[in-house]
Amino acid sequence: MKIPLWVEASRLKVVIFGGGSVGTRRAKFFSSAGAKVRVLAREISPELRGMGVEVKIVDLNSYDPAGDILLADIVVIAVDNPQLAERLFKLAESMGKLVNDATDAARTHVVVPYERAIEGIRVAVTSEGAAGTPARLSLEVIEDCIKRSWIPTFYEVYRQLKKEAKEAIADVRARLSFYQALSGDEAFMTLVKNGKTAEALSRGREILSKFVNTSRKLP
C-alpha cells in the first residue's frame, strides 16, 4: 500500500536511468525542487543537456551502475528497453533503494503525482499508472471547485490567525484547542463562507483573546 507524503527534496539524491522525454521530465521535477540529480544514458535530450544536472554518458547495456545506485535515495527507471529496465529494477531493489519505475507502474515504489498549488494549498493526484490523463485533468476540476468555494477565504484568515496564535500562545495544546474552536465557531465559519475576510478576522481575534487570557492564568 502506497501512502502520500511530502518530502523535503533538497535532501534527496536521485539517479535517473534514461535521458529521453520521461527521464527529462523526472530530472526537471526533482532538480527544480532542489534534489541532487544524476542522469545516466547513452543519449540525452537537448533540454536535459541545458538543465544543469549531472550527466554520465554511458551504455547502460554494458555499464555497471551499482556504484551510482549505492549513493541514491531514489532510483528512476526511464529506459525504453524492457530487459534493461528489468535488470536495473532488480538491482536497485536488491540494494534496498526506492524505485520510481516509469516503465511499470505496478511495481514502482515511488509515485510521481501530478500536482499544483491552488490558492495556497498544494494538491497532488495520481491514478498510480491506471489512467494518467484523467488524473492530470482532474486537477483542473479540483482547482475550479476550490476557487469557487469559501476555502480561499478560510485559508487566508486561518493562516493569519495561526500566525498570531503562535506569537501569543506558547502552549501547543492551547493553540490546538484554539484552532479547533475556530472551525467549530458558527459565527466565524458563517463569515468565512460569506467571504467576509475582515469580519472573520475580527471574530477569530475575539476567540483568540479568550485563549490568550486563559493561558496567562495557567501556572
Side-chain angles (χ1 to χ4, degrees):
M1 177 181 175
K2 298 179 180 67
I3 57 175
L5 297 170
W6 289 108
V7 178
E8 177 50 59
S10 65
R11 300 180 64 88
L12 296 177
K13 297 181 180 68
V14 182
V15 167
I16 300 174
F17 294 112
S21 59
V22 176
T24 298
R25 288 199 299 273
R26 292 291 189 270
K28 185 176 183 179
F29 177 80
F30 284 109
S31 65
S32 64
K36 185 176 181 180
V37 175
R38 175 182 293 178
V39 179
L40 293 89
R42 184 166 55 188
E43 298 179 355
I44 62 172
S45 69
E47 182 182 1
L48 185 56
R49 192 179 299 277
M51 202 175 291
V53 300
E54 182 182 356
V55 174
K56 290 179 71 172
I57 302 299
V58 296
D59 184 348
L60 291 171
N61 292 294
S62 56
Y63 177 77
D64 180 5
D68 303 282
I69 292 174
L70 182 64
L71 299 175
D73 298 305
I74 296 176
V75 174
V76 176
I77 300 175
V79 298
D80 57 8
N81 182 317
Q83 291 73 33
L84 175 58
E86 178 76 14
R87 178 170 68 82
L88 292 170
F89 178 85
K90 287 183 175 179
L91 178 59
E93 188 175 50
S94 71
M95 296 175 70
K97 302 300 180 178
L98 293 170
V99 181
N100 169 242
D101 191 344
T103 72
D104 189 342
R107 67 184 180 188
T108 194
H109 305 140
V110 177
V111 174
V112 177
Y114 299 100
E115 65 100 12
R116 69 177 63 173
I118 305 171
E119 300 293 334
I121 298 170
R122 291 183 65 187
V123 178
V125 299
T126 180
S127 66
E128 296 187 271
T133 300
R136 175 174 57 81
L137 293 179
S138 71
L139 281 174
E140 297 181 7
V141 177
I142 294 169
E143 180 170 17
D144 181 61
C145 288
I146 290 177
K147 286 184 173 181
R148 288 189 294 107
S149 76
W150 47 267
I151 290 297
T153 301
F154 191 26
Y155 175 87
E156 181 182 350
V157 173
Y158 189 96
R159 181 179 64 172
Q160 178 61 32
L161 291 171
K162 184 175 181 179
K163 178 183 176 181
E164 294 177 14
K166 284 186 174 182
E167 294 172 350
I169 305 174
D171 184 72
V172 174
R173 290 173 298 179
R175 290 204 303 269
L176 291 175
S177 295
F178 166 62
Y179 302 149
Q180 292 172 353
L182 272 181
S183 59
D185 186 80
E186 184 176 350
F188 172 77
M189 291 304 298
T190 297
L191 291 168
V192 165
K193 291 178 181 180
N194 287 327
K196 298 183 179 296
T197 302
E199 292 90 337
L201 269 172
S202 179
R203 174 59 183 168
R205 286 170 179 149
E206 287 180 20
I207 300 169
L208 175 59
S209 67
K210 297 176 184 178
F211 282 86
V212 172
N213 292 334
T214 300
S215 66
R216 286 173 178 167
K217 293 177 183 178
L218 295 176

